[in-house]
Each structure stands twice: as structure tokens, then as C-alpha cells.
Amino acid sequence: MRHILIIAAALFASSALAETPRDFLTRFEKEAGAAASAERGARFFNTSHGGEWSCASCHTERPAQAGRHAKTGKAIAPLAPAANAERFTDAAKVDKWFRRNCNDTLNRLCSAQEKADVMAWLLAPK
Amino acid sequence: MKRIIFPPLFALLAALALPAQADSYRLPKNAVFEEECGSCHIAFPPQMLHADSWRAMMGDLSRHFGSDASIDEKRRTAITDFLVANSGGRKTGDTRDAQGKPLLRITETARFAKKHREISTATWKRVAIKSPANCAACHALAAVGEYSDHSAVSPK
């Protein structure tokens, strides 16, 4: 019984705090001051930007499937929320990985517009 | 050589303890370490480097082997403390380079070379392995710190 209460409390607490993938699309669009384009997002994700890697090097061109780290070979769970319910539910995690992966792929941070476009593409029905 | 000067009882105890300990690098549970240091590769065993190596690595995470692995200051300090507390002991051996600087790669240590001296250059280069740092390609239980030689295989 105690366990059920604890689980219920934990669920309540996490549903009160957790974000949904759509929240990130909204946030990035607002920061960019313009609507997102899934088509631009796909192009951004799948092409390299002067460096060795594109986003697809590790996440594949079909983000509903599992990827593989281009250098270490470690498996990476799918990025598309439809295929992986844990994605885009924690702002600190989302911001951390955009920072790291954009630095590694573009040698700079991604703009709000680029992030909005990627979100739109990841959320688009495939 | 050294073993001869050990008192016999101590030698016996050491021999009994050895089979169980030689190959296990299990750790106290630490969610932050596992999440932050086990996302791009398996979480490497802290026991395989000395504290000075971990401090040097944790001081420059935004340029971590060509990747940006930067984290917030609170987590950085917590993970550094955890790595230092579980860092190598006597059997870890020397983990400095010829200039005396702490090595950052386990795969460049003398102990790693010794444990893997039977593996050929061609094997290291196989596609399924990619890098000597890809422990899990050959040690199926690397993610839980199990590296015993009977569980190690070299994939084709």
C-alpha cells in the first residue's frame, strides 16, 4: 500500500514537472520568432556543416530507429519521440545535448530556428 | 619475487581473494556517474586510472577526446569526487606517460597493454571493434564492470 502511494506521488510530481516534446517546439519557435519547417529540419539534420559529422552520423537519417555513436560505436536509442517516450521530457537534458552535439557537429551552438526546425521534423509523422 | 617475502598466511589469503577480484570492477551505484559518463561509451572503471588522471580529465570536459562532454559545475564536482574515491590502487600500475604527465586513456596504460598483448593490430582494426576503447565489443559485461578473461571474445 505504501508503495502504491509512493508511486502515485512520484507520478504526480513528475507529471507536474515533465515537459512534452511539443513544449520544446513551442519554446524554440518563440525564441526564433518564426514558424518551424520540418523540411528544413530534415536537411539540417542529414547534411554535414563543414565538420566530420552530421547529426545523422550518430542518430541515422531515420530517427525512429536506433543509432550508433560514430566514434565509440555505442548504441543510441531512437531520437524521435514517437519511437522513444523518454525523449524531450527534460529541459536540462535537451539543452545539454543540443549544446554538446551542435558544438561537435557545427563547431558552434545551434540557433533557435535550427532547433525548432529539428523538433518539427522529429515530430512530423513518418 | 615479492611474494616470497610475504608471510605465508598473508600469501594464502591473497591467493584466495585473487580469483574473485582480478576481473571485477564493480562499483557502488552512482546514477549521475552512470548517466553522464555512460552515454557516449560504457562508463569506464575508475579503478583503471589514478586520481591525477581523473582530475586532469574532469578539468577539461568541453574538449574530451574531440567531443564536447561539458556538464554543469555541481555534477562535475560530484563525479570528480566519485572517480577519485574509486580510483586505482597498487595493481593499477603506472598511469603516467614518459614525461610524467597523467595519461587520460586507460588504453594507453601499461596494464592495458599487458592484459591485451595477445591481440593483434588487425583485430583492433576490425569494424565491429573500431577502437580499443570499445571494451563492450569484446567484453560483453563491460557495462557492469566484468572483464574476466573467460568472458572476453574477439568478434569477427
Side-chain angles (χ1 to χ4, degrees):
Chain A
M1 186 57 203
R2 216 160 90 227
H3 285 203
I4 292 171
L5 282 176
I6 290 168
I7 290 167
L11 278 177
F12 180 76
S14 64
S15 69
L17 283 170
E19 284 158 294
T20 71
R22 295 241 157 242
D23 295 339
F24 289 98
L25 176 60
T26 313
R27 180 185 127 197
F28 295 140
E29 277 185 322
K30 211 161 119 205
E31 283 172 23
S37 151
E39 200 190 315
R40 257 197 330 252
R43 223 176 311 126
F44 174 83
F45 200 88
N46 294 327
T47 49
S48 60
H49 303 261
E52 188 186 340
W53 291 328
S54 69
C55 308
S57 307
C58 295
H59 294 294
T60 83
E61 295 194 1
R62 289 169 51 213
Q65 68 186 24
R68 207 162 130 80
H69 193 285
K71 180 124 181 229
T72 67
K74 185 172 193 284
I76 301 175
L79 208 49
N84 181 354
E86 281 173 33
R87 291 301 184 196
F88 303 98
T89 52
D90 173 351
K93 186 174 180 198
V94 171
D95 290 341
K96 177 180 76 188
W97 283 104
F98 267 122
R99 182 186 74 235
R100 289 176 174 173
N101 289 341
C102 292
N103 265 334
D104 283 349
T105 312
L106 306 121
N107 222 345
R108 61 163 171 85
L109 296 178
C110 291
S111 68
Q113 186 70 60
E114 286 163 341
K115 290 190 275 189
D117 292 348
V118 166
M119 284 312 302
W121 178 60
L122 291 175
L123 285 164
K126 299 264 154 34
Chain B
M1 269 317 276
K2 264 190 205 143
R3 207 157 278 166
I4 299 167
I5 54 172
F6 280 175
L9 181 64
F10 186 42
L12 179 67
L13 284 175
L16 285 173
L18 218 61
Q21 273 194 353
D23 44 16
S24 181
Y25 292 84
R26 288 175 194 268
L27 283 171
K29 199 120 190 73
N30 186 307
V32 175
F33 169 69
E34 281 160 35
E35 184 192 337
E36 295 296 347
C37 305
S39 48
C40 295
H41 44 64
I42 58 132
F44 295 112
Q47 299 94 328
M48 291 190 184
L49 290 172
H50 290 294
D52 54 353
S53 293
W54 293 122
R55 285 204 190 88
M57 188 179 307
M58 294 303 288
D60 195 8
L61 282 178
S62 58
R63 289 178 306 157
H64 177 80
F65 304 93
S67 280
D68 181 349
S70 57
I71 40 174
D72 64 74
E73 193 50 30
K74 216 174 110 196
R75 290 194 158 198
R76 196 184 69 80
T77 321
I79 293 171
T80 308
D81 291 348
F82 177 77
L83 289 167
V84 167
N86 292 286
S87 60
R90 192 178 48 85
K91 72 173 184 183
T92 307
D94 188 9
T95 62
R96 290 171 178 230
D97 68 12
Q99 280 74 47
K101 271 181 50 186
L103 290 167
L104 301 185
R105 283 191 182 270
I106 293 163
T107 52
E108 284 174 0
T109 61
R111 184 173 159 85
F112 185 90
K114 188 172 152 224
K115 292 285 181 191
H116 297 90
R117 61 178 173 256
E118 279 160 31
I119 295 171
S120 68
T121 317
T123 302
W124 288 126
K125 292 209 175 110
R126 282 185 202 146
V127 193
I129 298 170
K130 262 180 151 150
S131 158
N134 188 6
C135 320
C138 307
H139 298 279
L141 298 175
V144 294
E146 202 55 64
Y147 291 92
S148 60
D149 38 18
H150 50 262
S151 67
V153 294
S154 295
K156 288 283 140 12

